[in-house]
Amino acid sequence: MMVSFFDQFASPLYLGIPLIAIAITLPWVLYPTPSSRWINNRLITVQGWLINRFTNQLMLPLNMGGHKWALLLVSLMVFLITINMLGLLPYTFTPTTQLSLNMGFAVPLWLATVIIGMRNQPTVALGHLLPEGTPIPLIPVLIIIETISLFIRPLALGVRLTANLTAGHLLIQLIATAVFVLLPMMPTVAILTATVLFLLTLLEVAVAMIQAYVFVLLLSLYLRENV
């Protein structure tokens, strides 16, 4: 039984071909493309308003050098939200439950922020490794600790997204299994459990959006330290 619970996180295959590539590229087809008309429909208007609001909020603490990342960060957030939300549908696969995919997003973007800091302002970038006013005997220890914390950042980004989505999917499957088991024996308890399942599903919808926002927000904070 426990093995079947974790089978939902295995990448599906068709004729020996992994379908994770389709699961990653297909969500872009769902977005309406802006038209050349002066007046857009309601869906495109709401989509543009939400993206503009998020872009303004994300770029507010960054200087003009960081605004070059606006398109990349906003596209990444919309992409993660779409994949996370589609993964809540029945008989679907969530690519962001794979740590390898999340690390593939986190490591290059984090490394890009570090390289930008080392190239543009190496003194300030290296100064983050040693807080001001540190006693001399503690300097080697603090440098080691800050270096370790710097290299842990991409791992924390990937693990946080993977763990939250994986835990939510497991809880939904466990409670759904309990509902089907209890329904013929204790219908009242099964109905109460189904209510909990419905509330948990709403919570997972919020988690799917919040985790995508937190992923991009932390990347923007790392970028702010280096631009």
Side-chain angles (χ1 to χ4, degrees), residues 161-177:
L161 183 58
T162 304
N164 280 282
L165 295 179
T166 302
H169 283 66
L170 283 176
L171 278 175
I172 288 177
Q173 187 167 0
L174 285 170
I175 297 178
T177 304

Side-chain angles (χ1 to χ4, degrees), residues 12-93:
L13 300 175
Y14 182 73
L15 298 177
I17 302 174
L19 300 182
I20 186 172
I22 298 178
I24 293 175
T25 56
L26 189 60
W28 293 110
V29 183
L30 303 178
Y31 297 116
T33 56
S35 63
S36 57
R37 300 177 180 177
W38 287 6
I39 300 178
N40 294 321
N41 58 33
R42 292 183 179 89
L43 182 59
I44 296 179
T45 303
V46 171
Q47 174 184 284
W49 180 80
L50 290 175
I51 291 177
N52 288 334
R53 292 291 298 174
F54 173 74
T55 305
N56 294 334
Q57 185 71 24
L58 190 65
M59 295 293 110
L60 188 62
L62 299 178
N63 56 21
M64 292 303 297
H67 291 182
K68 300 175 183 178
W69 287 61
L71 179 60
L72 176 62
L73 294 179
V74 172
S75 300
L76 178 62
M77 191 210 65
V78 174
F79 177 68
L80 291 177
I81 286 180
T82 307
I83 288 182
N84 295 345
M85 297 288 287
L86 290 177
L88 294 174
L89 298 176
Y91 302 104
T92 56
F93 171 69

Side-chain angles (χ1 to χ4, degrees), residues 144-166:
I144 295 174
I145 293 175
E146 291 296 330
T147 303
I148 293 174
S149 66
L150 177 66
F151 284 97
I152 284 178
R153 285 179 174 182
L155 181 62
L157 279 177
V159 171
R160 180 187 295 107
L161 183 58
T162 304
N164 280 282
L165 295 179
T166 302

